[in-house]
Amino acid sequence: MAQTLEGILSYPSMDAGEAKEALNRAVAIVKENLGTFTDHFQSSNSFNGFYQPTENVEWTTGFWTGVIWLAYEATGNENFRKAAEIQVESFLERIQKKIDVNHHDMGFLFSLSCVAAYKLTGNEHGKKAALLAADHLAERYREKGKFLQAWGNVGEPREYRLIIDCLLNLPLLYWASEVTGEPRYGQMAENHIRTAMKCILRPDHSTYHTHFIDIETGEPTYGVTHQGNRNGSAWARGQAWGVYGIALSYRYLKEASYIDLFCKVTDYFLCHLPEDLIPYWDFDFDTGSTEPRDSSAAAIAVCGMLEMAKYLDEERAAYYRQAACRMLRALIDQCGNRDIRQSNGLLLHGTYARDSKENTCANRGVDECNTWGDYFYMEALTRMVKDWKLYW
Ligand code: GLY
């Protein structure tokens, strides 16, 4: 059954005081985690509620460093800053030695760790690492089709595609243009989002997760899912990447047509929420389903709505802010971890990947915490308590 605005508004709202309490609970858990996760990073998802230590690999380690920076902002405690700075050195080494970076997720990795370090403390190694990462990402730009190739070796015909998640990698390029004065980074990002919007948005305003591009003509060919339930369904986190990704490009480009795109993609997300406002992992599933939830999708969408509300007319801004406050309250109530003995994560009930007939994923991190869910939950809470200056 379609969700309505009245349905969303019937969930209790929240105020800055409640957000601050939830943020304090999260910061206390982060503090306890520093001993294990300073010289190591957190695994992408928890196992039976607990993250395991890993090296600086995969696309997800920047979220934990971003969480530490948010804890530093919330408290001013130098222990957080010192831990985050140790991790910035790890990111510099990672990009210099090109460790596990043959993919497009440079924004997820370097915006929240290294750009954050530079913006918050003027850390020059953070700036250096993030600019190297922007250069590396720029190498994935394909002139034929005007997009950033997500995965695999660049130019590989079987991998000639973009994915919706990449919208969150674009701010690294916008930032690189601002810092260097070289427009080429931002132009690639602008071209990428134009191509992406041409192909991933369906007529009903749901989105494809991934879309192939013809390597000869540069024209979009067909969309398929990677992590969604069906090729034609809306993977909840993919739709959320769309919500926040469009808002972030609007922040940098102020392209008027993105307002309409944002509203369409976000309204689809809101209309397909179940009664308790915590999305199932794919919008094929609704209230009463026994399928797992993906709390991280809600946290990402909340951040996107709070960001975009800054630029909308009063009526629409109020609508998205009200929806975001209810969703965040639902996350605090139903998914916020209150007991470090039950989990060392911050946001329970996420899903990294769920096996289905039409995707190629194995079950991974099902009904577990994941590092990006934790990060966006903390970012959303931080946005509620102050006028937060973005790391993106
Ligand atoms: N960007 C990969 C994911 O959302 O799982």
Side-chain angles (χ1 to χ4, degrees):
M1 225 178 69
Q3 180 60 272
T4 60
L5 180 61
E6 291 71 40
I8 293 171
L9 296 189
S10 69
Y11 202 92
S13 189
M14 64 181 302
D15 58 27
E18 284 157 333
K20 184 71 186 150
E21 280 173 28
L23 187 59
N24 289 345
R25 283 194 292 275
V27 167
I29 295 173
V30 177
K31 189 164 166 238
E32 288 296 310
N33 276 335
L34 282 188
T36 312
F37 303 109
T38 292
D39 295 322
H40 286 89
F41 291 81
Q42 291 183 329
S43 48
S44 302
N45 55 270
S46 62
F47 299 85
N48 295 319
F50 287 86
Y51 291 110
Q52 302 301 317
T54 71
E55 299 304 317
N56 193 351
V57 291
E58 296 199 53
W59 64 280
T60 51
T61 44
F63 296 115
W64 169 240
T65 314
V67 161
I68 299 175
W69 281 126
L70 290 172
Y72 173 61
E73 281 203 69
T75 60
N77 182 332
E78 287 293 315
N79 288 336
F80 290 121
R81 172 179 167 146
K82 284 180 200 149
E85 284 173 351
I86 288 170
Q87 299 194 350
V88 167
E89 295 304 315
S90 168
F91 278 101
L92 180 58
E93 185 187 2
R94 180 169 176 179
I95 193 66
Q96 283 175 327
K97 294 188 177 164
K98 300 263 165 63
I99 299 167
D100 198 12
V101 289
N102 192 25
H103 56 79
H104 68 152
D105 282 327
M106 296 306 109
F108 284 127
L109 288 169
F110 288 87
S111 294
L112 305 179
S113 57
C114 296
V115 175
Y118 178 61
K119 286 185 177 176
L120 289 172
T121 70
N123 185 313
E124 285 295 328
H125 280 187
K127 179 183 178 189
K128 182 175 174 184
L131 285 176
L132 287 172
D135 281 331
H136 184 68
L137 178 56
E139 285 171 20
R140 301 191 73 82
Y141 182 75
R142 301 292 86 199
E143 192 50 49
K144 196 59 109 178
K146 300 193 186 300
F147 70 104
L148 293 155
Q149 186 188 319
W151 299 317
N153 293 334
V154 279
E156 159 70 43
R158 278 173 311 177
E159 296 286 0
Y160 214 70
R161 64 170 149 174
L162 56 80
I163 74 172
I164 193 165
D165 322 31
C166 189
L167 297 183
L168 277 282
N169 291 320
L170 304 184
L172 180 67
L173 298 176
Y174 299 128
W175 170 81
S177 274
E178 280 183 0
V179 166
T180 62
E182 287 183 45
R184 67 186 179 96
Y185 300 101
Q187 278 160 3
M188 287 181 212
E190 192 172 353
N191 288 346
H192 176 92
I193 188 171
R194 192 177 304 116
T195 304
M197 286 303 128
K198 200 162 76 175
C199 56
I200 56 178
L201 189 63
R202 303 191 187 102
D204 67 353
H205 311 147
S206 66
T207 51
Y208 285 111
H209 180 194
T210 90
H211 209 285
F212 283 95
I213 310 285
D214 188 298
I215 199 165
E216 303 295 338
T217 65
E219 286 303 313
T221 49
Y222 62 100
V224 294
T225 198
H226 176 63
Q227 280 158 277
N229 188 44
R230 290 178 297 118
N231 289 328
S233 71
W235 174 47
R237 193 159 69 251
Q239 195 78 16
W241 292 139
V243 171
Y244 199 6
I246 296 169
L248 287 171
S249 273
Y250 185 83
R251 173 185 176 84
Y252 281 96
L253 302 174
K254 301 292 185 310
E255 162 59 48
S257 64
Y258 293 173
I259 293 178
D260 184 49
L261 288 173
F262 170 85
C263 294
K264 285 174 171 159
V265 171
T266 306
D267 289 349
Y268 185 97
F269 191 99
L270 294 174
C271 287
H272 289 79
L273 286 172
E275 278 166 17
D276 60 15
L277 307 189
I278 310 295
Y280 291 87
W281 67 281
D282 190 288
F283 286 124
D284 268 355
F285 310 109
D286 202 346
T287 306
S289 169
T290 55
E291 284 293 316
R293 312 298 184 115
D294 184 11
S295 54
S296 74
I300 296 160
V302 167
C303 292
M305 288 188 278
L306 293 177
E307 179 61 24
M308 196 66 184
K310 295 177 190 168
Y311 316 112
L312 298 173
D313 61 64
E314 231 170 84
E315 195 182 332
R316 275 192 290 191
Y319 167 67
Y320 291 115
R321 269 202 202 99
Q322 285 174 2
C325 285
R326 266 64 176 192
M327 285 171 62
L328 186 53
R329 174 72 188 264
L331 285 174
I332 294 171
D333 290 350
Q334 300 172 57
C335 306
N337 181 21
R338 287 174 162 73
D339 183 357
I340 196 161
R341 289 166 305 179
Q342 121 176 309
S343 168
N344 61 1
L346 309 181
L347 189 70
L348 309 171
H349 308 308
T351 293
Y352 187 152
R354 176 83 164 147
D355 168 32
S356 81
K357 278 199 197 105
E358 283 189 39
N359 75 26
T360 50
C361 295
N363 283 331
R364 181 171 179 187
V366 174
D367 197 14
E368 293 283 353
C369 302
N370 50 60
T371 50
W372 58 91
D374 286 3
Y375 171 80
F376 288 103
Y377 179 56
M378 257 185 92
E379 184 189 305
L381 294 171
T382 304
R383 284 173 174 275
M384 289 294 295
V385 301
K386 67 177 199 174
D387 180 17
W388 183 64
K389 305 279 179 293
L390 280 70
Y391 305 161
W392 300 101

